[in-house]
Amino acid sequence: MKRYFLFDLDGTVADNGEGILQSAQYALDAFGIHNEPVERLRRFVGPPLHESFMELYGFSKEQAFAAVEKYRERYRVKGVYENQLYPGMQELLARLSQQAVVCLATSKPEVFARTILETRQVLPCFQVVVGAQLDGSRTDKAEVIGEVLRQLDHPPKEQAVMIGDRKHDILGAQKAGLDSIGVEYGFAPPGELAEAGAQWIVPTVAELEKLCLSLCGAGRA
């Protein structure tokens, strides 16, 4: 039975695509890369930003972190508000938080994550919120999960599960010794979650709620 549910943010709790994609293009514009296809920009949702700039565009580490700063130039004043909860997510979090311990484990800077949860009025549902630091540290998902578990005083790992929409969530959970749930309604390309080895994969928020309540023994009565 699961007692601790660790949620990713982007593509899992909230659809932050608009803010992330537009801020990514804003950063790329500064490097002379204009009018990138939406499908390419969508790959920025989920992984640590500097890794995406390096992997997708061949940036050096120094260029990548400079691009991240440019990205945040727009994101901190506008992009952080360009999001919405997935339909049914507010109800899922409210119900699950009455039955289990709900946490946030995101590679997004924690300050931005808290702003989003507060703006969307679901911050009280989360007992622990952990994200990356603005200096670029703690962006690896396994590190983020590890910090959540530390703040929970290291509960039995078999009682915890990571929920996310990208392979980084699934692989991070594996590295941390946790089971994982992949959600297909987010930003993963087809097949990515299964290939990464998610224990469960669900297509919708409704199915995610059903699974989570089942795993914590609450049912849907």
Side-chain angles (χ1 to χ4, degrees):
M1 189 174 294
K2 302 299 183 186
R3 185 183 173 198
Y4 305 92
F5 292 80
L6 284 62
F7 284 78
D8 174 48
L9 179 57
D10 300 340
T12 302
V13 170
D15 181 354
N16 299 330
E18 181 183 358
I20 293 173
L21 271 59
Q22 293 201 35
S23 298
Q25 184 60 70
Y26 178 87
L28 291 169
D29 285 340
F31 288 82
I33 303 170
H34 306 293
N35 302 315
E36 284 294 273
V38 170
E39 285 307 310
R40 188 168 177 83
L41 293 174
R42 280 173 64 90
R43 295 175 66 183
F44 276 93
V45 184
L49 282 172
H50 69 280
E51 292 182 10
S52 293
F53 282 115
M54 294 168 69
E55 179 182 338
L56 300 176
Y57 294 93
F59 283 17
S60 67
K61 190 172 183 179
E62 292 74 18
Q63 288 175 318
F65 280 105
V68 169
E69 284 307 307
K70 199 67 181 176
Y71 169 99
R72 289 177 181 162
E73 190 176 287
R74 181 189 186 279
Y75 190 83
R76 64 169 50 94
V77 296
K78 191 171 183 179
V80 70
Y81 302 106
E82 295 173 326
N83 61 75
Q84 57 186 348
L85 296 182
Y86 285 103
M89 182 54 64
Q90 186 169 18
E91 293 78 9
L92 183 162
L93 293 172
R95 182 160 187 177
L96 185 61
S97 65
Q98 296 299 313
Q99 305 292 337
V101 177
V102 175
C103 308
L104 193 80
T106 177
S107 292
K108 179 184 289 297
E110 189 172 311
V111 62
F112 296 147
R114 287 183 177 275
T115 296
I116 291 169
L117 296 179
E118 187 172 20
T119 301
R120 299 305 165 202
Q121 301 181 323
V122 292
L123 184 58
C125 294
F126 293 87
Q127 291 195 26
V128 173
V129 174
V130 173
Q133 301 297 314
L134 286 172
D135 64 5
S137 61
R138 206 167 65 202
T139 58
D140 179 76
K141 185 53 66 94
E143 291 182 71
V144 173
I145 293 171
E147 177 59 19
V148 172
L149 297 176
R150 187 192 70 78
Q151 292 190 27
L152 291 171
D153 198 22
H154 303 289
K157 291 185 177 180
E158 64 270 16
Q159 294 182 9
V161 62
M162 178 69 210
I163 304 163
D165 72 309
R166 296 299 307 275
K167 65 181 180 182
H168 307 81
D169 303 304
I170 309 307
L171 297 175
Q174 291 172 3
K175 190 173 180 181
L178 270 55
D179 287 339
S180 59
I181 301 171
V183 299
E184 293 181 318
Y185 57 78
F187 289 86
E192 179 178 283
L193 296 168
E195 184 177 342
Q199 273 74 27
W200 299 274
I201 297 175
V202 294
T204 64
V205 172
E207 288 299 314
L208 176 60
E209 179 180 349
K210 181 178 179 181
L211 176 60
C212 288
L213 292 175
S214 172
L215 289 173
C216 72
R220 295 193 68 186

